[in-house]
């Protein structure tokens, strides 16, 4: 069986031969060789939607439309679908800039009463939210849920969990939910981080990862529901609410948390007067390589930990509900896939091929994710890929070996691509709105 990394290389070979964009080439290859080529199943992408999808499946919750567990695409759609967000954080003390992109509705408010609360409420599922400052109480609560035979959603610090082999100075910078499945006979935890097989995480490591980030220290979400199908009327109303929420959210005026964020970002790529303009923030080249690589890691769902742009996955949701009594969403799905293609093109364009080591770093990002997606057996390869990746990052941390004119050309190209994405997504929202009569 090929890995995600192998499959992506095959897709890129097809792109070179046919001139297709990434998403189109990938869909064609899946149609030709089946899902086995991509590792057996469509990869789970977004940490929040993937965790909830897994736990509801573990609880035996099914869709009355299919008789199977809810798909990640369905959970994404019910939760309000896609989002848009752009923030460039500057840390003067460390002379660093951290790019944050949001691609899911309420990406900045994931818990209860945020995205999880909203999604579970639409499905008619109650959930217990556990948060405590004490490590002993946090461990007791987690172990009690597992002892009852239930998996649970737990928030962890990405670096402290240790499965992606990030450097120590990223401790506390970013975290996300994983599913804790149970404990081994030796007392370690079995952790699902969207991989094909679980990770084995020691008790000490789990405690450190759960406690590291204060804003969601020791947080657990424990959905309380019986097995069996969701009432069809409930599921239909949840889908309708999610569709309406998607349109309303992406039509809002926020230039940080809705579609205007892409328009703002496109302008900042070339604005030398604005303090947050990329020509000013990266005037001396310090941190630029990391920011460019971060575009790849956050946009491409097969290169980083955050799940990618999710546009293709939302189109899958629209396909799933088409013909199930919700009307036709063919045009909307096609519009979101057009946007998905543009995002994939942006990820490819973000790393200049004439920058020494840049393409190797992008491939190492793909290799790292592929290794992590293998779970515990992939640890050795994940460590090796991460070590080489961060060595390349360190080589380019203070400057990039490109001329000022070449950097300006790169910024202009990326800015125009992001502007095209904004226009495509406005059209996609309009197509979605038209399909639901809004």
């Amino acid at each position: 069986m090929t890995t995600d990394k192998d499959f992506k290389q095959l897709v890129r070979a097809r792109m070179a031969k046919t001139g297709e964009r990434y998403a189109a080439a990938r869909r064609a290859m899946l149609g030709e060789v089946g899902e086995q080529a991509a590792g057996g199943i469509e990869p789970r992408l977004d940490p929040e939607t993937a965790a909830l999808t897994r736990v509801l499946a573990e609880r035996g919750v099914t869709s009355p439309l299919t008789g199977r567990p809810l798909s990640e695409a369905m959970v994404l759609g019910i939760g309000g679908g896609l989002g848009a967000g752009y923030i460039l954080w500057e840390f003067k003390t460390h002379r660093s800039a951290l790019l944050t992109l949001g691609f899911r509705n309420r990406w900045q408010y994931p818990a209860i009463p945020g995205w999880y609360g909203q999604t579970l409420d639409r499905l008619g599922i109650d959930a217990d939210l556990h948060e405590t400052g004490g490590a002993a109480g946090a461990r007791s609560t987690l172990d009690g849920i597992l002892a009852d035979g239930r998996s649970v959603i737990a928030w962890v610090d990405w670096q402290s969990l240790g499965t992606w082999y990030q450097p120590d100075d990223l401790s506390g910078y970013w975290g996300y939910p994983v599913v804790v499945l149970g404990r081994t006979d030796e007392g370690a935890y079995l952790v699902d981080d969207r991989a094909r097989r679980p990770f084995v995480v020691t008790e000490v490591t789990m405690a450190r990862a759960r406690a590291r980030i204060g804003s969601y220290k020791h947080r657990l979400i424990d959905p309380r529901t019986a097995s069996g199908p969701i009432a069809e009327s409930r599921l239909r109303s949840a889908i309708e609410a999610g569709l309406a929420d998607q349109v309303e959210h992406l039509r809002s005026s926020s230039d940080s948390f809705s579609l205007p964020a892409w328009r703002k970002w496109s302008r900042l790529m070339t604005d030398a007067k604005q303090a947050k303009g990329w020509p000013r923030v990266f005037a001396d080249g310090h941190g630029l390589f990391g920011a460019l690589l971060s575009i790849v890691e956050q946009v491409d769902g097969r290169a980083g930990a955050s799940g990618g742009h999710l546009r293709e996955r939302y189109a899958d949701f629209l396909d799933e509900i088409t013909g199930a009594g919700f009307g036709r969403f063919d045009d909307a799905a096609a519009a979101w896939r057009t946007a998905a293609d543009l995002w994939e093109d942006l990820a490819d364009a973000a790393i200049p091929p004439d920058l020494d080591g840049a393409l190797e770093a992008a491939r190492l990002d793909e290799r790292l994710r592929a290794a992590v997606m293998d779970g515990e057996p992939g640890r050795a390869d994940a460590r090796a890929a991460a070590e080489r990746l961060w060595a390349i990052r360190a080589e380019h941390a203070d400057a990039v070996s490109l001329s000022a004119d070449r950097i300006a050309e790169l910024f202009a190209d990326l800015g125009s691509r992001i502007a095209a994405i904004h226009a495509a997504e406005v059209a996609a929202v309009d197509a979605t709105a038209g399909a639901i009569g809004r």
Side-chain angles (χ1 to χ4, degrees), residues 343-430:
W343 280 112
E344 296 291 343
D345 289 346
L346 177 70
D348 284 343
I351 297 299
D354 48 337
L355 177 58
D356 184 48
L359 291 181
E360 182 187 359
R363 296 295 180 261
L364 284 164
D365 260 320
E366 296 173 8
R367 176 183 162 190
L368 173 59
R369 187 185 187 281
V372 173
M373 291 302 101
D374 202 27
E376 189 66 25
R379 277 190 182 270
D381 194 31
R383 181 193 293 273
E387 288 177 352
R388 176 57 185 152
L389 173 62
W390 283 96
I392 295 175
R393 278 179 169 268
E395 292 172 9
H396 298 287
D398 292 328
V400 294
S401 55
L402 296 174
S403 69
D405 287 345
R406 178 68 181 93
I407 292 173
E409 177 187 41
L410 174 64
F411 284 177
D413 177 61
L414 296 178
S416 66
R417 290 176 183 275
I418 298 163
I421 287 170
H422 174 258
E425 298 208 342
V426 169
V429 172
D430 288 345

Side-chain angles (χ1 to χ4, degrees), residues 35-83:
E35 290 185 343
Q36 290 297 315
I41 58 172
E42 277 286 88
R44 291 174 294 151
L45 297 174
D46 176 64
E48 278 79 13
T49 57
L52 185 55
T53 300
R54 175 66 189 263
V55 168
L56 293 182
E58 292 275 328
R59 300 288 196 276
V61 175
T62 59
S63 165
L65 303 179
T66 64
R68 299 189 297 272
L70 297 176
S71 66
E72 185 186 11
M74 180 62 75
V75 171
L76 173 66
I78 288 171
L82 302 170

Side-chain angles (χ1 to χ4, degrees), residues 216-245:
Y216 44 75
K217 188 175 183 178
H218 300 142
R219 177 184 293 165
L220 298 174
I221 290 182
D222 180 19
R224 309 287 294 198
T225 181
S227 63
I230 298 169
E232 185 169 348
S233 60
R234 168 67 74 170
L235 183 64
R236 289 185 177 277
S237 67
I239 292 169
E240 290 169 358
L243 287 164
D245 187 11

Side-chain angles (χ1 to χ4, degrees), residues 136-402:
R139 184 180 65 187
S140 177
T141 301
L142 172 60
D143 291 348
I145 294 170
L146 298 177
D148 285 342
R150 301 192 309 278
S151 56
V152 65
I153 299 169
W155 265 256
V156 294
D157 172 46
W158 181 40
Q159 189 277 334
S160 300
L161 190 65
T163 54
W164 291 80
Y165 295 97
Q166 303 303 294
D168 291 344
D169 58 7
L170 286 184
S171 175
Y173 268 61
W174 182 63
Y176 57 79
V178 296
V179 179
V180 185
L181 302 170
R183 302 196 70 169
T184 68
D185 292 340
E186 292 76 25
Y189 292 97
L190 295 172
V191 174
D192 172 24
D193 186 7
R194 297 161 287 167
R196 288 178 286 275
R197 285 164 283 197
F199 287 98
V200 178
V201 178
T202 68
E203 189 174 273
V204 171
T205 298
M206 177 61 75
R208 182 171 59 245
R210 293 186 63 204
R212 178 62 182 87
I213 300 178
S215 59
Y216 44 75
K217 188 175 183 178
H218 300 142
R219 177 184 293 165
L220 298 174
I221 290 182
D222 180 19
R224 309 287 294 198
T225 181
S227 63
I230 298 169
E232 185 169 348
S233 60
R234 168 67 74 170
L235 183 64
R236 289 185 177 277
S237 67
I239 292 169
E240 290 169 358
L243 287 164
D245 187 11
Q246 165 75 111
V247 171
E248 179 181 359
H249 173 65
L250 289 183
R251 280 182 165 174
S252 71
S253 60
S254 172
D255 65 0
S256 292
F257 303 116
S258 191
L259 285 189
W262 305 146
R263 184 174 58 205
K264 177 180 74 173
W265 184 19
S266 72
R267 294 169 178 170
L268 289 174
M269 288 303 306
T270 56
D271 194 334
K273 296 181 179 179
Q274 288 286 341
K276 288 290 188 178
W278 282 48
R280 286 192 62 176
V281 173
F282 301 108
D284 62 358
H286 184 88
L288 175 57
F289 181 75
L292 294 173
L293 195 59
S294 183
I295 294 175
V296 178
E297 293 168 345
Q298 294 186 68
V299 169
D300 187 345
R302 290 160 186 82
S306 62
H309 57 74
L310 299 176
R311 273 52 186 164
E312 182 84 14
R313 188 54 44 94
Y314 188 72
D316 292 341
F317 161 69
L318 296 178
D319 288 345
E320 194 170 337
I321 64 173
T322 293
F326 295 95
R328 304 297 303 182
F329 291 88
D330 307 75
D331 290 345
W336 283 114
R337 288 195 167 102
T338 294
D341 288 342
L342 295 176
W343 280 112
E344 296 291 343
D345 289 346
L346 177 70
D348 284 343
I351 297 299
D354 48 337
L355 177 58
D356 184 48
L359 291 181
E360 182 187 359
R363 296 295 180 261
L364 284 164
D365 260 320
E366 296 173 8
R367 176 183 162 190
L368 173 59
R369 187 185 187 281
V372 173
M373 291 302 101
D374 202 27
E376 189 66 25
R379 277 190 182 270
D381 194 31
R383 181 193 293 273
E387 288 177 352
R388 176 57 185 152
L389 173 62
W390 283 96
I392 295 175
R393 278 179 169 268
E395 292 172 9
H396 298 287
D398 292 328
V400 294
S401 55
L402 296 174

Side-chain angles (χ1 to χ4, degrees), residues 95-142:
R95 290 190 67 226
S96 63
L98 181 65
L99 176 64
T100 299
L101 302 176
F103 291 112
R104 195 200 66 252
N105 194 335
R106 296 197 176 193
W107 61 271
Q108 73 277 30
Y109 302 118
I112 293 175
W115 183 86
Y116 272 101
Q118 175 176 266
T119 306
L120 289 166
D121 183 64
R122 287 174 180 166
L123 290 169
I125 295 174
D126 293 326
D128 294 329
L129 173 65
H130 301 279
E131 292 180 310
T132 179
R139 184 180 65 187
S140 177
T141 301
L142 172 60

